[in-house]
Amino acid sequence: MKILISADMEGATGVTWPADVLPGTPQWERCRSMFTSDVNAAVLGFFDGGADEVLINEAHWTMRNLLLEELDERAQMLTGRHKSLSMVEGVQHGDVDGVAFIGYHAGAGMEGVLAHTYLANSITGVWLNGVRASEGLLNAHVVAEFGVPVVLITGDDVACEDAFGYAPEALKVAVKDHVSRYAAVCRTPARTAVDIRAAAAKAASLAVRHEPAESGPFTVAVEFDAEHLAMAATVVPGVARTGERKVAYTSPTMYEGIRTFKAVTTIASAAVEEQYG
Ligand SMILES: [Zn+2]
């Protein structure tokens, strides 16, 4: 049994503030070890539950956050940027039986600690076939296309609630309770590690790969906080303006859908000016 862990940082234990997840800050240096503790607890739990292999895919920002030297020696980690499937890279090779979303968070425009979808600020909403989408929901559709179930989600309580919408069967561990975008009641890493390890051990039994599902086409709508970002995004082939600050596109598969989404966010973020947005 092989498990893929997609590890994002905003939903990690103790994290509530932009500097906590911004590479290079002293706060990020401190929070890296709590993030690593969450991921390592999941690794230990999956091996407890019978996994033979656990691959961690770093999914936050520069994708260089976790402390490799603190991880259980049975795990392997994919570090660094520029990967075909970004946050769920590794799921496409036909050998993964279950995926865990560790440190996930609510989507753009939702309540939740550091809620966003890909871009921290500039995207105010994403919809997949009319349903408001978090990164968890988008990535769950990608992995489903490869026949792989999402078996475990950790994050704040809002991210866990959101996960009921895309992975109702999966185990969920809230490591903190949302108070506002920048505030949460946090549990200690010692406590959350115990909870995550126990949940991962149970979640291993849900890791059963099935026939790849074909459920497209997928229409993705993206709303920005500024008009010129919508205009900029239309340089991506197939992306059309649907409103003053909105674009949409339709892809036959989620593989294409998430790759086009990556192109849209990359172009839009390049169009953001420091002072006026
Ligand atoms: Zn994220």
Side-chain angles (χ1 to χ4, degrees), residues 13 23 51-52 88 105 173 271:
T13 296
D52 306 299
V88 287
H105 50 82
V173 178

Side-chain angles (χ1 to χ4, degrees), residues 17 109 217:
W17 179 245

Side-chain angles (χ1 to χ4, degrees), residues 124-127 130 219-224 226-227 229-236 238-250 264:
T124 53
V126 177
W127 291 263
T219 296
V220 178
V222 183
E223 182 186 73
F224 297 99
E227 174 277 333
L229 302 185
M231 194 262 288
T234 60
V235 303
V236 179
V239 175
R241 195 79 173 259
T242 54
E244 196 172 33
R245 292 180 290 108
K246 267 188 162 179
V247 297
Y249 62 90
T250 299
V264 165

Side-chain angles (χ1 to χ4, degrees), residues 8 10 59-60 87 105 116 118 135:
D8 203 0
E10 286 87 353
H60 174 70
M87 297 181 77
H105 50 82
H116 69 285
Y118 274 61
E135 290 163 15

Side-chain angles (χ1 to χ4, degrees), residues 62-154:
T62 54
M63 301 180 170
R64 300 176 179 283
N65 307 277
L66 291 165
L67 300 163
L68 179 65
E69 59 275 32
E70 289 182 14
L71 294 172
D72 184 273
E73 65 184 21
R74 292 167 292 178
Q76 294 194 85
M77 183 164 80
L78 172 49
T79 301
R81 293 184 76 172
H82 307 306
K83 301 173 283 196
S84 297
L85 279 176
S86 189
M87 297 181 77
V88 287
E89 175 68 20
V91 78
Q92 67 267 46
H93 306 303
D95 61 348
V96 173
D97 300 292
V99 171
F101 294 163
I102 303 298
Y104 269 49
H105 50 82
M110 298 175 182
E111 273 194 332
V113 176
L114 298 170
H116 69 285
T117 305
Y118 274 61
L119 304 186
N121 255 334
S122 308
I123 290 177
T124 53
V126 177
W127 291 263
L128 178 66
N129 290 343
V131 176
R132 193 178 266 276
S134 60
E135 290 163 15
L137 184 139
L138 294 172
N139 289 324
H141 279 82
V142 176
V143 304
E145 210 163 75
F146 294 96
V148 181
V150 179
V151 299
L152 172 67
I153 296 102
T154 73

